[in-house]
Amino acid sequence: MGGYTGQSELSVSKGVRMMFYALHPNETSFRTIEEVPDYVEKATAYFFIMLVMEMFVSWAWKGRPLRVNDGLSSLSAGVMSRLPDVAFRGVEVTTYVYVWNHYRLAELPWDSVWTWGLTFLGVDFGYYWFHRMAHEVNIVWAGHQTHHSSEDYNLTTALRQSFLQKYFSWMVYWPMAFFIPPSVFAVHLQFNLLYQFWIHTELINNLGPLELILNTPSHHRVHHGRNPYCIDSNYAGTLIIWDRIFGTFVPEKDKVVYGLTHPINTFEPFQVQLQHCIYIWNTFWSTPGFSNKLSVIFKGPGWGPGKPRLGLHEELPKVTGDEKPYEPGLSTPLQIYTMIHFILLLAVYRHMFEAKLILTQITLLLRILYILLTLTSLGFLLEHRPNAALFETVRCSVFLLLQKYGYLTTDIPSLTGICEIIFSICMAVWGLQAIRQLVTRTQKQE
């Protein structure tokens, strides 16, 4: 069945259906990979709208306001995970194209509904096994643990992604490259990811018969739980049938407590991303025996000498249901401040992606470094770090310098002027606070 010609334009109707994997093959079939839209980037507006809707409903219906520190930590991880894509095509697609160009055995038609359906199943099947590997192989878990580190469960959690994880997932999709065109694969790789956004919510309880086939919020809540009954279960992307087939399905029952079995208690973005890498490094060198050192890397996160590959379930910390999430406390003015500056950061982030083909390499590099500086500084503020005021002073100064020399620009001249005023005031306020803190520390030392 041929004749499909996918369209890159995205209407509101198609945008909404995109978030639920509900687009038709004739809307999403492309001859070449260059024609495939960046659906994930196009979904940014829909992410924001759904986030706001969930926040309002959760507050109005269940009386649960969003924890700004945890939410911003998740969004920061999402921004960080996408930064490598500014300069490079995703490693999953790049390696897939290489195998396709050099080793393909057959070429299924790119405009066939059967190719589209087979790719849907293939990508989802591959994702199940990669996701399972990410929980059962320690070095891969080092990347994936970022996604599980939130102690909340809402749509911001869906965006808490690792910048390391994509460098492990490419291998599970190679077999498809022997016969499925890259353009079809690239579409489903994105849709599989987008589908998993909406299932990160507590507002949807049970979807009836769909629970038998699809991955749903109920199934995925279990996957994010640190209760002993939740561990190593429900790895599905779109279809829960893989978990049912391979014996990893667990239904939701007791109250789910979210997060890692050993919470990391931080909102600083580099620690959120890299803390388990540091743990593996230290454990590797402290563990005796070469085979044991290899086991630290390639066996499960709970493994230790003399234990089974995935560790011992009975050693998992007990969960009572009364656990409180990490909460250093955040004043209302500071919540407003961090949210405003994160939104301003998103303007820089969005413009960088939209203009990446025309920006110079030095401009892209400086913008990436500024984004990382901002995420780190906001993380320090969320945790009341002693040097947060100094770090924020430096960040505001860097913004003004980059804007003065044209490395941070906006298409709206009046907005540029407003940002200059805002950041100048912020630099002065935080600078005064940093000086006061320095004077206080000096007096205490004397």
Side-chain angles (χ1 to χ4, degrees), residues 67-76 160 266-269 326-331 334-339 342 374-385 388 430:
R67 288 200 308 138
V68 172
N69 43 25
D70 190 87
L72 285 183
S73 181
S74 293
L75 296 177
S76 296
R160 184 181 283 233
T266 184
F267 301 122
E268 196 280 302
Y326 173 61
E327 184 57 78
L330 200 63
S331 66
L334 198 53
Q335 291 185 44
I336 295 172
Y337 178 89
T338 53
M339 286 192 292
F342 187 82
T374 300
L375 296 179
T376 302
S377 185
L378 294 181
F380 282 10
L381 290 173
L382 295 175
E383 291 192 356
H384 303 297
R385 294 278 186 97
W430 287 112

Side-chain angles (χ1 to χ4, degrees), residues 138-139 276-298 303 305:
N138 205 18
I139 190 63
H276 197 73
C277 293
I278 297 171
Y279 170 80
I280 291 177
W281 175 264
N282 292 333
T283 306
F284 177 87
W285 290 110
S286 63
T287 301
F290 182 71
S291 63
N292 284 339
K293 289 183 184 297
L294 291 180
S295 295
V296 168
I297 298 174
F298 297 109
W303 178 85

